[in-house]
Amino acid sequence: MSDTGTEKYATDVARELVKSSPLAVELSDEQCDTLAEVIRVSGLKANEFLLEEGRTDDSLHVVASGKLEVVKVDKGGDYVTLHVLQPGDMAGELGFIDGAPHSAGLRAIGECEVFNIHRGDLEGLIGKDPDLVYKVMRAIMRTVHKIVRRMNLQYTQLTDYIVSEQGGH
């Protein structure tokens, strides 16, 4: 394939990755094309870390194919899987927004492909298309809200279980 053909293929792949992601829910086709210009695609091998607990990263990640496990190190130094991310799931939202260290790591389960958006690249679009940036941030916050709701439900279920087990003794 010629360099021009390769570039067109890469552009088409990037556009389709963006369009199939939760980031594109409110975006026009033109805005998807603009966002596709700033993404980077990365491949991971089995057990390779995308993010490590305690490290900072200024990128938002979206699983394109494969699976990532959200892991935390326990007191014994072993990894505990907290959640498994599927294609279309976002990761690193809070670190992307506020630059805080990650509270958990992300490790590939088998081969995995993700696309990333660096904070500076998204911020660079503010002058060009502020509506795009606003809509991407809304998509990120919807994802964070969904995670918080899931965690609240799990906390409630765990509390109910503990209370019912203590009452049975």
Side-chain angles (χ1 to χ4, degrees):
M1 201 182 297
S2 68
D3 283 345
T4 305
T6 303
E7 289 173 20
K8 180 174 176 356
Y9 175 76
T11 300
D12 290 345
V13 168
R15 183 182 305 114
E16 288 309 310
L17 287 173
V18 168
K19 281 185 174 184
S20 66
S21 79
L23 296 175
V25 170
E26 296 181 90
L27 300 181
S28 68
D29 287 344
E30 295 79 22
Q31 289 174 322
C32 286
D33 291 346
T34 300
L35 191 58
E37 292 173 9
V38 300
I39 71 166
R40 296 179 179 107
V41 180
S42 306
L44 298 166
K45 293 182 170 78
N47 298 316
E48 186 176 352
F49 277 86
L50 175 64
L51 302 173
E52 292 188 38
E53 183 178 347
R55 297 274 173 102
T56 58
D57 177 290
D58 68 348
S59 294
L60 175 70
H61 308 278
V62 179
V63 180
S65 65
K67 296 178 183 177
L68 289 172
E69 60 181 338
V70 180
V71 295
K72 190 130 178 95
V73 178
D74 68 11
K75 291 180 182 176
D78 295 322
Y79 289 107
V80 176
T81 300
L82 303 176
H83 187 67
V84 175
L85 300 176
Q86 308 288 332
D89 288 343
M90 279 188 241
E93 305 91 348
L94 296 178
F96 177 77
I97 291 170
D98 68 9
H102 295 289
S103 60
L106 291 176
R107 182 169 64 182
I109 300 174
E111 291 192 8
C112 184
E113 190 173 54
V114 297
F115 76 82
N116 329 29
I117 300 172
H118 290 280
R119 184 182 323 117
D121 291 336
L122 185 65
E123 289 172 348
L125 297 175
I126 291 173
K128 182 177 181 178
D129 191 344
D131 186 54
L132 178 153
V133 176
Y134 172 73
K135 289 175 179 176
V136 167
M137 294 306 291
R138 281 175 50 98
I140 294 168
M141 293 314 299
R142 271 193 302 274
T143 297
V144 170
H145 188 169
K146 187 168 66 173
I147 292 167
V148 169
R149 276 194 291 181
R150 186 184 74 236
M151 289 174 62
N152 287 342
L153 176 62
Q154 290 171 339
Y155 175 81
T156 302
Q157 290 171 333
L158 181 61
T159 301
D160 289 347
Y161 174 77
I162 291 169
V163 169
S164 69
E165 287 297 307
Q166 288 176 348
H169 285 83

